[in-house]
Amino acid sequence: MTSVQLAQASNAAVYASMLTLTLAMIFFAVSFAAGRRRPAAAAVSVSVESVESVGGTAVITRTAEAIDRSSDPGRRAANIGMSLTWLSFLTLLVGVILRGVWAGRVPWGNMYEFSITAALGILGVFLVMSIRRDLRWLGLFVVIPALLTLGLAVTVLYTEAAQLVPALKSYWLVIHVSAAIICAGAFTFAAATAALSLVRSRLERKAGTTEIGGWASRMPTSERLQVLTNRVVAFAFPLWTFAVVAGAIWAENAWGRYWGWDPKETWAFITWVIFAAYLHARSTAGWRGNRSSWIVIVGWVAFLINYFGVNIFVNSLHSYSGM
Amino acid sequence: MTEPLDSAVPAPDAGLPDEPTLPPLGSIGLLRWMWRQLTSMRTALVLLFLLAIASIPGSVLPQRGTNPLRVDQWLEQNPGIGPLLDRAGFFDVYASPWFAAVYLLLFISLIGCVLPRIRQHAKSMMAPPPPAPRRLTRLPVSQEFTSSVDGAALLATAQGYLRGRRWRVRLGESPVDGNTWIAAEKGYLRETGNLVFHLALLLVLLAVAVGGVMGWKGNVIVREGSGFSNTLTQYDAWGGGRFVNPNDLAPFSFTLDRFTVDFERSDAQRGAPRLFEADVTYRASPDAEPTTRTIEVNEPLDVAGAKVFLVGHGYAPRFVVRDSTGEVVFDDAVVFLPQDGNFTSTGVIKVPDASPSLGFNGLFLPTAARAGSGMGISVFPAADNPEVLLAAFRGDLGLDSGVPQSIYALDTSKMVKVGLNPLAPGDTWTLPNDSGSIEFTGYERWASFQIARDPGKELALLSALAAIVGLMLSLFVRRRRLWVKVMAASGGGTLVQVAGLAKTDSVDLPADVRALAVALGADVDDERSAP
Ligand code: HEM
């Protein structure tokens, strides 16, 4: 392919991925709106009893699902949504790879490229997590941020592929940025489950029970949502620590100091401290539950501030937005 | 650690104080109470939040450490609140007393928290797993089945199985009913990892401190063809820690033989830098062999324990100034500082040897164009169409006043303006009133280097890596216990109970219990509560 064809193919793949992702969003929304018929209550409570006393685990849904598999339109819509999400992921993967081929380097040279790769990270973390557990209920809340990221990328952030500025020419770019991008996906995932657990816990409090019907019935209980959030943060936090350390090694090599409180570094640190606080909150009386969910959301916001705010508005050594 | 195991089992290590308690009377009691508050999880949490919040202003306001010029600008633009913020340390946040207070308190809390936990953990590593609770079937995950094999043989099998999987095993007998049991525990590395992580954070702080008192760094601008030797006087800016003797720097030197830059010329990101390369010849010490090397942005030069980084570059236009008799009074390239991405650069030429003295404020445009207003601007960073705009002054340069002067600023308070003129390379401007002439003969490039030595950085890296490893152990290892109890079944044979308890996270537990039960001959479908 010629360079122009490569560029067109990459852009076409990104747009195609946005299209399928929009469809996925619609199907997930339909599924959510359809609610879920309650399975026989007894089947659920038996397994719940067996695990919740030590903090609950992921074993409950399978039993519940076995019962209402056949006649649930919401479920069918969600299945279509999942397939479309896989399709978008693969299309986007092609788009990102073609972009890299076009530029002749890793496709992480400016904010457009960071953003399409971050969307890939968000979808990727979600899909990988969904292999081993049922996450159909989460689809809507992962597809929306991914779609927003892509939308911003193609409208506001778009830049033609170009060579890297010298400061980015380093294999640390590959190591540091790929870790950060996976974290982007995981933090987004965790923020989504944390937000849902807040919503759900409110409904549960109002209903006085964890067995609620209506549109929110499709989600797991707030407690299970918190366990899931916890698990994702436990995965993302060491990776984020690694990304920050890799960034420090790179900074040492490029600028002669491993830490200089540049705004980008500062916000990476703030994000890190907030998630460390979250990990502490899990084992601090009075901070488990909803408060710790809020901490995850705040941490995610700090991550976004670092990504968008510092890249675009602040005069930083790290301003590579290419805009 | 604060998560005690199920109350059915004695917790091996006591929880940390979590709930606020009222301060007791008496000064020792009060001190002890304060210490307990400081080392509680809740305080750690609050201090972490404080640390996050305290870090924010430094990312919003310009900071002295990184950008002193912008701090001055900001202060000028905000005469009201500026000085107040300045006094409170907001322009040097990360060196301010209040920022230090937050992280020092956090680390004191950390020490107070970790030391007792090390002791407890050492004890629990030494101690055998706790005995089986009375009613195993009450535990969150348990399984019961009957076997035709006799109890002692089953326990021997269980013991072999668990030891093979590196569980710590203990055999016992219940004093109440005389039944024999096995207790097993695994996952001690979780707490070990957690302690390593927290201690490694302390080491990171220590490493930063070592770098702070024993490290130094300086900046220097070197013109193409010129040299630099590592002594204090050669630096444009230099700062070092308390334990650095600035007169004792390693005596290396280098010359900048050639500096190459390249910029993007296609439309996408036009003008963005694509290549910086500084070819240097260096000597590690005055009598060492000269060596040539290319310094690039991500490839610093390692020499004599210090590192030389390429951090910036710019133009140094060259001028020849003659007095009214035609005698050369100045012939040199002058470093101009870039002001924007297109390298519009400003600089000052001071000619004290002319009489009267001459001074010029200059603007160098590497690719000159005229803006609508007729103002000269640069439209591209490479020197495609270089031009200088000079404003000439005559009079007292103020160099004799004894006050040190910046080489980048002209004090025109005792001078009169002579005129303004643009010059292309080769042009000569004959100044009015018989004041002489100035010729713009061309330009050189300069590169700026940051030269730094940080003796703490290896320790910082090692402790950061230890922190990551500790963190992963702490988050991924699951501490859990298993028990097997055998007793005579009412219908003959042996009744076997297998049960487990996890400390924080029970994901693996059902599988552990099931696998152990199966190893003892249970039918998989027999289980009570595994998923
Ligand atoms: C420099 C500040 C600190 C940072 C960045 C930090 C970070 C962390 C992180 C990331 C964890 C999660 C690891 C895990 O869950 O096992 C953790 C756990 C823990 N931290 Fe800290 N910590 C700090 C200070 C402290 C202090 C001052 C205390 C004592 C009050 C403390 C006590 C604990 C305890 C007890 C745990 C284990 C919690 C659990 O088992 O879930 N930490 N810390």
Side-chain angles (χ1 to χ4, degrees):
Chain A
M1 271 198 265
T2 67
S3 163
V4 175
Q5 282 168 330
L6 273 175
Q8 285 168 346
S10 167
N11 292 350
V14 171
Y15 278 102
S17 152
M18 287 178 69
L19 186 71
T20 44
L21 211 49
T22 312
L23 290 174
M25 180 179 73
I26 294 169
F27 276 100
F28 279 131
V30 166
S31 144
F32 220 81
R36 175 160 62 181
R37 221 165 292 158
R38 298 305 309 156
V44 181
S45 58
V46 167
S47 51
V48 168
E49 190 192 3
S50 67
V51 284
E52 295 243 309
S53 49
V54 280
T57 67
V59 285
I60 308 155
T61 33
R62 304 257 181 246
T63 339
E65 268 155 32
I67 299 159
D68 66 341
R69 182 155 291 166
S70 49
S71 58
D72 181 351
R75 200 187 144 85
R76 261 200 313 277
N79 282 343
I80 300 175
M82 283 306 285
S83 308
L84 285 169
T85 311
W86 273 106
L87 187 61
S88 318
F89 174 77
L90 294 175
T91 330
L92 190 57
L93 183 65
V94 170
V96 169
I97 291 174
L98 287 179
R99 176 86 185 185
V101 175
W102 175 21
R105 52 172 169 74
V106 282
W108 305 324
N110 51 53
M111 265 190 91
Y112 169 73
E113 294 170 356
F114 288 142
S115 299
I116 58 173
T117 318
L120 193 70
I122 295 174
L123 295 178
V125 168
F126 167 67
L127 289 171
V128 167
M129 297 278 299
S130 79
I131 292 175
R132 286 191 41 205
R133 60 194 95 207
D134 180 5
L135 290 179
R136 277 170 281 226
W137 50 272
L138 187 61
L140 184 60
F141 305 94
V142 165
V143 165
I144 288 175
L147 202 51
L148 284 176
T149 311
L150 283 177
L152 261 171
V154 299
T155 52
V156 184
L157 305 173
Y158 188 79
T159 16
E160 297 291 320
Q163 289 305 298
L164 294 176
V165 295
L168 284 181
K169 278 184 194 149
S170 164
Y171 56 89
W172 285 106
L173 173 68
V174 183
I175 299 170
H176 170 69
V177 178
S178 53
I181 280 171
I182 298 173
C183 287
F187 286 152
T188 307
F189 184 106
T193 51
L196 288 180
S197 101
L198 286 171
V199 171
R200 175 82 198 202
S201 114
R202 218 192 141 103
L203 294 172
E204 285 168 8
R205 222 179 20 250
K206 260 200 225 140
T209 164
T210 56
E211 301 273 316
I212 50 176
W215 61 273
S217 63
R218 204 161 272 283
M219 320 175 200
T221 62
S222 61
E223 197 177 325
R224 277 207 54 226
L225 284 164
Q226 282 158 13
V227 170
L228 190 57
T229 310
N230 189 8
R231 195 139 319 140
V232 175
V233 175
F235 158 76
F237 186 78
L239 192 60
W240 183 245
T241 312
F242 171 77
V244 172
V245 171
I249 298 174
W250 186 8
E252 201 279 329
N253 216 25
W255 299 318
R257 84 290 185 292
Y258 56 86
W259 197 265
W261 295 108
D262 180 82
K264 195 97 186 170
E265 295 165 0
T266 303
W267 279 94
F269 174 75
I270 293 172
T271 309
W272 187 79
V273 169
I274 294 173
F275 279 104
Y278 165 77
L279 291 175
H280 277 198
R282 292 179 320 167
S283 34
T284 307
W287 279 86
R288 280 166 263 235
N290 286 352
R291 283 204 200 169
S292 58
S293 298
W294 277 113
I295 303 178
V296 171
I297 294 171
V298 171
W300 180 65
V301 169
F303 181 85
L304 289 188
I305 289 178
N306 203 15
Y307 183 58
F308 290 108
V310 176
N311 272 3
I312 299 173
F313 301 113
V314 180
N315 179 358
S316 154
L317 282 171
H318 292 77
S319 298
Y320 303 125
S321 63
M323 296 167 64
Chain B
M1 278 300 49
T2 46
E3 194 105 52
L5 285 169
D6 193 281
S7 52
V9 185
D13 19 36
L16 287 163
D18 234 341
E19 299 301 329
T21 45
L22 286 177
L25 298 174
S27 56
I28 300 281
L30 185 68
L31 277 178
R32 198 179 286 150
W33 176 83
M34 278 167 52
W35 177 247
R36 236 184 296 125
Q37 292 305 304
L38 181 64
T39 56
S40 80
M41 277 299 262
R42 175 161 304 147
T43 310
L45 193 57
V46 170
L47 287 172
L48 280 170
F49 285 133
L50 274 180
L51 184 63
I53 292 169
S55 310
I56 296 177
S59 75
V60 180
L61 295 168
Q63 297 293 296
R64 285 240 154 71
T66 44
N67 212 335
L69 286 178
R70 291 215 9 253
V71 174
D72 293 340
Q73 270 174 15
W74 205 95
L75 284 174
E76 246 168 61
Q77 286 158 9
N78 300 275
I81 190 161
L84 283 177
L85 289 178
D86 197 13
R87 216 165 310 135
F90 275 86
F91 299 104
D92 211 354
V93 165
Y94 309 105
S96 71
W98 45 269
F99 190 75
V102 175
Y103 72 75
L104 288 179
L105 272 179
L106 188 56
F107 275 96
I108 293 173
S109 166
L110 180 70
I111 296 169
C113 177
V114 162
L115 290 183
R117 280 173 60 202
I118 293 179
R119 212 176 42 230
Q120 279 170 0
H121 185 51
K123 244 194 261 162
S124 90
M125 296 257 281
M126 239 72 107
R134 279 262 301 285
R135 314 267 300 265
L136 275 189
T137 44
R138 282 237 183 121
L139 291 178
V141 184
S142 68
Q143 197 167 338
E144 196 172 42
F145 58 94
T146 47
S147 166
S148 52
V149 184
D150 94 287
L154 281 172
L155 287 190
T157 312
Q159 197 172 5
Y161 171 89
L162 290 166
R163 286 241 161 87
R165 278 158 188 75
R166 306 212 314 206
W167 288 74
R168 184 169 306 175
V169 180
R170 167 189 188 184
L171 269 162
E173 186 176 323
S174 160
V176 184
D177 49 25
N179 294 320
T180 44
W181 46 258
I182 279 185
E185 183 159 2
K186 191 172 180 169
Y188 295 84
L189 270 180
R190 179 190 188 93
E191 179 70 358
T192 311
N194 188 293
L195 294 170
V196 166
F197 168 74
H198 284 88
L199 289 176
L201 292 185
L202 275 174
L203 281 183
V204 171
L205 188 72
L206 182 71
V208 172
V210 167
V213 295
M214 291 171 56
W216 52 263
K217 90 181 172 194
N219 286 78
V220 60
I221 285 180
V222 182
R223 297 194 321 238
E224 239 174 345
S226 309
F228 164 83
S229 61
N230 190 30
T231 53
L232 194 57
T233 49
Q234 296 243 328
Y235 281 101
D236 299 327
W238 191 89
R242 185 164 306 173
F243 297 143
V244 184
N245 181 353
N247 301 317
D248 222 11
L249 302 179
F252 65 86
S253 61
F254 67 85
T255 49
L256 176 59
D257 303 325
R258 221 166 78 88
F259 184 71
T260 322
V261 284
D262 193 16
F263 300 97
E264 179 69 53
R265 287 186 181 271
S266 69
D267 281 344
Q269 300 190 3
R270 185 175 160 77
R274 290 295 168 239
L275 173 82
F276 308 135
E277 265 176 17
D279 295 328
V280 299
T281 306
Y282 71 93
R283 288 168 197 264
S285 64
D287 33 60
E289 278 298 301
T291 318
T292 55
R293 256 261 341 235
T294 303
I295 304 178
E296 292 176 60
V297 172
N298 278 305
E299 281 165 43
L301 165 69
D302 253 304
V303 57
K307 271 181 154 182
V308 181
F309 301 87
L310 176 60
V311 290
H313 65 102
Y315 294 96
R318 175 176 273 285
F319 300 96
V320 177
V321 181
R322 295 183 176 83
D323 66 12
S324 50
T325 67
E327 194 180 330
V328 172
V329 287
F330 182 93
D331 181 1
D332 206 357
V334 182
V335 168
F336 275 38
L337 299 180
Q339 304 297 319
D340 61 22
N342 283 326
F343 281 76
T344 302
S345 309
T346 57
V348 164
I349 309 143
K350 295 179 187 179
V351 193
D353 294 343
S355 61
S357 299
L358 292 172
F360 301 87
N361 270 324
L363 192 64
F364 177 78
L365 310 169
T367 301
R370 294 275 164 252
S373 57
M375 259 256 311
I377 53 162
S378 173
V379 292
F380 194 72
D384 292 346
N385 176 28
E387 181 182 303
V388 284
L389 281 168
L390 291 180
F393 295 85
R394 194 180 54 202
D396 182 3
L397 283 167
L399 293 180
D400 306 327
S401 66
V403 184
Q405 265 199 5
S406 162
I407 57 164
Y408 300 112
L410 191 64
D411 176 7
T412 56
S413 58
K414 294 196 192 113
M415 307 187 85
V416 287
K417 188 162 178 180
V418 180
L420 187 71
N421 209 24
L423 297 172
D427 285 355
T428 300
W429 175 24
T430 307
L431 301 171
N433 306 334
D434 211 15
S435 302
S437 67
I438 181 164
E439 182 184 357
F440 171 33
T441 57
Y443 65 90
E444 293 171 6
R445 289 185 190 279
W446 54 260
S448 62
F449 296 93
Q450 169 147 308
I451 303 174
R453 176 173 150 76
D454 181 348
K457 69 182 182 221
E458 286 81 11
L459 179 61
L461 180 60
L462 284 179
S463 23
L465 294 180
I468 294 178
V469 172
L471 189 59
M472 287 173 48
L473 290 175
S474 160
L475 289 168
F476 302 147
V477 173
R478 301 199 166 93
R479 181 128 170 221
R480 51 209 195 270
R481 292 179 183 153
L482 288 178
W483 291 276
V484 184
K485 206 183 238 181
V486 289
M487 55 200 90
S490 50
T494 313
L495 180 66
V496 187
Q497 292 176 340
V498 182
L501 190 62
K503 204 156 181 183
T504 41
D505 193 333
S506 57
V507 211
D508 300 341
L509 197 62
D512 283 340
V513 170
R514 186 183 344 181
L516 178 55
V518 169
L520 296 178
D523 186 348
V524 209
D525 299 328
D526 226 16
E527 56 205 287
R528 182 178 76 98
S529 63

